[in-house]
Each structure stands twice: as structure tokens, then as C-alpha cells.
Amino acid sequence: MAASLLASSLSLSRSPPFPLLLLLKKPYLSLSLFPISSPSSSSNPSLLRLHTHRHSLPLALRPRFKPYSSFTSAHDSPERASLGGEDVLVLGIETSCDDTAAAVVRGNGEILSQVVSSQADLLARYGGVAPKMAEEAHALVIDKVVQQALDNANLTEKELSAVAVTIGPGLSLCLRVGVSKARRIAGMFRLPIVGVHHMEAHALVARLVQRDLQFPFLGLLISGGHNLLILAQSLGNYVQLGTTIDDAIGEAYDKTARWLGLDMRKGGGPALEELAREGDANSIKFSIPMRQHKDCNFSYAGLKTQVRMAIESRNLCVDDVPLSAATFDDRKLRADIAASFQRVAVLHLEERCQRAIEWALKIEPSIKCLVVSGGVASNQYVRCRLNHIVEENGLKLVCPPPSLCTDNGVMIAWTGIEHFRLGRYDPPPPPDEAEDAQLDLRPRWPLGEEYSEGRSVARSLKKARIHPSLTSIIRGSAMQQK
Ligand code: KG4
Ligand code: ZN
């Protein structure tokens, strides 16, 4: 990798850069059906992780292509209602950040294959997601990952019903790799294509895992680039109760892990969670962010600064001494910082969730569940603390297994199925689409509409909204049909 390229593209933050390219052809989305199968997981994030369920089903049901403007509901046509049946087979492709993932899922929720190729080694080496390098890494493995997903599912492209792919939010260079691949397959095999919102997919995968999870529900989506509290009212219809005004919690975990000299090859979050188990969580007094703001927004930049200062003021020198070589006292100090950071980072989540539950119950008294998903939701401490809050409020916590919390192709395929079922998809692209065709990529794409009573006064919330939210597109489309 050329050093100059590296220098120009290296970014220490996981938040998406300004979009390089974007052009709206027309709004597109799609979806389909319900639940289950028992997903498996792997503990080695740096390898291709293969999860296979063999299948032996007849040829997939092929939908008739409907232009977006003619969407109606799934219930108005028996033909379309059947689009979510178990004969439906959707390939999901995910390349929005640093994992290249693909999976095949059946309309009834059965996971036929799941493949993830992680860039953890690159992340460990360079300290963050560098868009250009991440793009190259995706491009290098995308064909292999998709082929592996098809092989593991014992399928060829011809047998698919549709291809679902993440179109945003994320790094546009990375999104482009997945979207191009999806369009090549869809064009060649005349398959409809479903553009998926990455954060919606984190939320909806809970409905694959938990068959009876109905709308409305409350969702906390916590990842490397996002911190969202949403009220999910129906498919594609979300109220954003809170978001981060600066960094997401995963970014704070990753940075703290790096500053503590942890082995980043297994991911900053998991490494920090492990070390925190050895530490005293009350030993260092970090303050809880945004307590004076009685809303549901988040902030992690200040906590990061507090951690940095704690490390510097204790003359903890981690640069030359990896954790494995640290003295007993040094290791204890790092563990205390890790545990104290984690306690406060999660307390912030707890406080915001408590308020969000109160708000959500006022808006939708029938909610029964809090869905917690996204990479950070694979953390056991996070799950345990949030479970208390949820139970105290008479709700239920729904948390996908770790392999479905971190980025994966299953959640994209599943969200594709959910929308496909409602007839929300695009027709196949032309088989001879040019390599450099302008694509509908949405690097900054809000999920829901902001809850008006929840606006923060503390905002430096980045307002550069490139696209209308998913919810406003879906509502607009529904209005057009009336
Ligand atoms: O959802 P995700 O896989 O990718 C994004 O969409 O960002 O989330 C990745 C984030 C990273 O910051 C990673 O360190 C964090 O999730 N993460 C964790 C754990 N596993 C992954 N954070 C804390 N504890 C974990 N066990
Ligand atoms: Zn994610």
C-alpha cells in the first residue's frame, strides 16, 4: 500500500467521511418475512467466518417487477403476500465499513449461509478505518465472500429471489464495492434488488431471531459509528428519540482499548470488555456525560478525553509495552481504567434508555420490548446492565446473538426479505451496466424522523443530511399511492 495513499486516507475516526459521490436515481428499498434459525458464531474475527445451513428447496419464487411508485401493501395481492414465503431466497451483501459479509436467508428466516471477512488486522495496524484501504480490502475479497455464501447455501445465483445490499449509511467507497457486486449479480441473473439501511438491518435482525417480535418496539442501536434510540412503529417507520452529538460508544471503546495498549486484532471492544473483568470499576471517577440534558441523546467525546487524561496523569506508558508484557501493577491500572470507563459508558446508555422507555411508552403504550443491537450489543456487561433497566420497566430485552449484532450479511438479507415482502424493491439493473455507473449510495442517511420533543439543546449534531430519512421516503411513497 503506497505510503502517500495511506497518509491521505487514514482516518482515526469511524464516522463516515463526506460522501464522494452520490446520485439519486430513485428511492429504492425492499423487504419480506419472518423468523428463525439458530445462528452460530465464531470466536476468531480475523478469519473468514463460515456459518452454513444446507438447503434443498425447489427453485425460488420469482416476483414480478413492480416499479417503486406502484408499491402498495403486502396484503393487497396474494401473489405479493407470498413473496415472503419460505421459497424466497435472498442474498444479502454488506460492505458499509470494515467487514465484507454475505449471507443467504430464506423467507421463513432460516439462515442458509453466513460469511464474514473482517479487516480487523488492518484496523489493528493503522488504528482506524481508512476508507481507501478499506475499499481495497473489500474489493479483494468480495467475490470470494459472495461465492462462499452461495456455495455454503448449496445454491447458484439462478435460484435466488432477490439480492439485498447495504446502500447506506457508511463509507461511500466501501458501499460502492458491495452495491456494484449486488448489481452485477442482479443484472446478470435478472433479480430484483433491495437497497438496505444498515441501521434498520441491525434493528430488524431481532425479528429474525425472535419470531414473535412485533411492532412497535423500542430499539437501542450501538455500533462503531452510531448510537441511536428509535421507536420502531412499523417496517420502515421509525421515530428517532436520540442520537449521538459526537462519537458513538463503539468508537470510545476502540479508542480506549488502543490507548491502553490492547491487542486490537480481536477488536477494541471485545479486548476492553475482557480486560475490564479484572479491574475495579469504581477506582477512577469519570463523570457521566450529558446529565444536565434531560433528553435521549448521547455524547462520548468527553468521556474519551477523560480517559486520555486519566492515562496521561498516571504516567501510564503503553506505547512500548503491550498488555501481555506489562507488570502486575501496570496491568492492574490498565484494567481499572478499562472497568471504570466501561461502567460510565454503559451508565450513560442506561440513563438514556430509562428516559427513552418513558417517552416511548407515552407515544406507544403497547411496546413490550427493547431491542439492543449493533456491535457493542455483543458485550455481556452491556446486556446485563440494560436487562436490569428493561425488567424494572416491565419490558423484555431482545438482543441478537453476538454474530448477528456485529456487522453481517444475514441482517441485510433479512431486512431485504422484510421489504421485499411488501413489494419494496427495484427491478434488475441492465446486465451490461457500466463499471463506473453512478450508483445510489447514501453515506449519510438518517433512519427515522426526529422526535420533536426530544431535540437536544446540546447539539453539535452533524446536520449535513444528504438524504431524506428512510422513514420519510417510505411515507412519501405511501402518500403517492393514495
Ligand atoms: O455494528 P458493528 O459491527 O459495525 C459498525 O456498524 O460500526 O460495530 C462495531 C463496533 C466496534 O466499535 C467494536 O469495537 C464494537 O462494535 N464491539 C464491541 C464489542 N464487540 C464489538 N464493543 C464492546 N464490547 C464488545 N464485546
Ligand atoms: Zn453496523
Side-chain angles (χ1 to χ4, degrees), residues 220 227-229 240-247 288-300 347-349 351-353 355-356 359 450-461 463:
L220 171 70
N227 240 82
L228 285 175
L229 266 164
Q240 180 184 292
L241 302 175
T243 184
T244 180
I245 64 165
D246 41 54
D247 294 326
I288 302 169
M290 290 187 79
R291 280 204 137 161
Q292 68 282 23
H293 298 287
K294 309 290 180 208
D295 57 40
C296 293
N297 289 309
F298 300 89
S299 164
Y300 282 96
L347 263 172
H348 188 30
L349 293 182
E351 291 186 351
R352 293 347 235 186
C353 279
R355 182 169 294 119
W359 285 8
E450 213 175 346
Y451 180 47
S452 53
E453 288 169 46
R455 294 219 166 93
S456 175
V457 284
R459 359 232 281 148
S460 69
L461 288 178
K463 277 307 207 177

Side-chain angles (χ1 to χ4, degrees), residues 222-289:
I222 38 181
S223 66
H226 293 88
N227 240 82
L228 285 175
L229 266 164
I230 53 156
L231 174 60
Q233 294 181 304
S234 61
L235 199 59
N237 204 340
Y238 306 98
V239 178
Q240 180 184 292
L241 302 175
T243 184
T244 180
I245 64 165
D246 41 54
D247 294 326
I249 184 170
E251 154 75 12
Y253 264 90
D254 291 341
K255 233 7 111 45
T256 301
R258 171 163 295 279
W259 289 336
L260 291 176
L262 308 192
D263 181 354
M264 301 294 285
R265 282 172 305 178
K266 35 183 156 169
L272 193 129
E273 179 183 10
E274 200 181 318
L275 180 63
R277 289 199 194 102
E278 300 172 22
D280 173 359
N282 292 303
S283 56
I284 296 163
K285 304 287 170 226
F286 295 129
S287 55
I288 302 169

Side-chain angles (χ1 to χ4, degrees), residues 196-206 373 404 411-412 414-415:
V196 171
H197 191 296
H198 181 88
M199 298 313 289
E200 183 185 36
H202 272 308
L204 292 187
V205 75
S373 186
L404 296 183
M411 68 183 197
I412 306 305
W414 177 250
T415 303

Side-chain angles (χ1 to χ4, degrees), residues 195-445:
V196 171
H197 191 296
H198 181 88
M199 298 313 289
E200 183 185 36
H202 272 308
L204 292 187
V205 75
R207 277 163 56 85
L208 178 155
V209 175
Q210 176 91 36
R211 302 186 72 119
D212 57 358
L213 175 61
Q214 303 287 338
F215 294 104
F217 61 84
L218 183 60
L220 171 70
L221 308 178
I222 38 181
S223 66
H226 293 88
N227 240 82
L228 285 175
L229 266 164
I230 53 156
L231 174 60
Q233 294 181 304
S234 61
L235 199 59
N237 204 340
Y238 306 98
V239 178
Q240 180 184 292
L241 302 175
T243 184
T244 180
I245 64 165
D246 41 54
D247 294 326
I249 184 170
E251 154 75 12
Y253 264 90
D254 291 341
K255 233 7 111 45
T256 301
R258 171 163 295 279
W259 289 336
L260 291 176
L262 308 192
D263 181 354
M264 301 294 285
R265 282 172 305 178
K266 35 183 156 169
L272 193 129
E273 179 183 10
E274 200 181 318
L275 180 63
R277 289 199 194 102
E278 300 172 22
D280 173 359
N282 292 303
S283 56
I284 296 163
K285 304 287 170 226
F286 295 129
S287 55
I288 302 169
M290 290 187 79
R291 280 204 137 161
Q292 68 282 23
H293 298 287
K294 309 290 180 208
D295 57 40
C296 293
N297 289 309
F298 300 89
S299 164
Y300 282 96
L303 181 57
K304 265 168 51 181
T305 307
Q306 291 183 64
V307 168
R308 183 81 226 169
M309 284 162 58
I311 292 171
E312 282 171 5
S313 67
R314 284 164 180 79
N315 293 326
L316 193 56
C317 213
V318 297
D319 286 349
D320 307 324
V321 191
L323 185 67
S324 51
T327 62
F328 178 84
D329 286 349
D330 181 273
R331 185 179 178 104
K332 174 80 177 76
L333 180 53
R334 295 192 210 192
D336 285 348
I337 294 173
S340 303
F341 156 78
Q342 176 163 259
R343 188 181 79 88
V344 171
V346 178
L347 263 172
H348 188 30
L349 293 182
E350 290 170 50
E351 291 186 351
R352 293 347 235 186
C353 279
Q354 175 59 44
R355 182 169 294 119
I357 290 170
E358 289 158 20
W359 285 8
L361 283 172
K362 262 195 257 157
I363 308 169
E364 293 277 8
S366 64
I367 61 162
K368 296 194 171 43
C369 293
L370 170 68
V371 166
V372 182
S373 186
V376 183
S378 43
N379 181 300
Q380 293 305 320
Y381 179 80
V382 169
R383 288 170 179 239
C384 178
R385 298 293 308 188
L386 291 175
N387 197 38
H388 283 305
I389 299 282
V390 164
E391 282 183 351
E392 273 168 17
N393 286 277
L395 300 181
K396 194 176 150 206
L397 184 74
V398 180
C399 222
S403 64
L404 296 183
C405 280
T406 48
D407 287 354
N408 64 85
V410 172
M411 68 183 197
I412 306 305
W414 177 250
T415 303
I417 289 169
E418 292 243 39
H419 283 283
F420 185 62
R421 187 172 61 145
L422 298 192
R424 295 174 187 160
Y425 51 79
D426 265 1
D432 52 354
E433 187 166 77
E435 291 256 315
D436 60 351
Q438 288 175 317
L439 302 176
D440 178 10
L441 309 174
R442 306 176 185 185
R444 286 193 194 279
W445 188 18

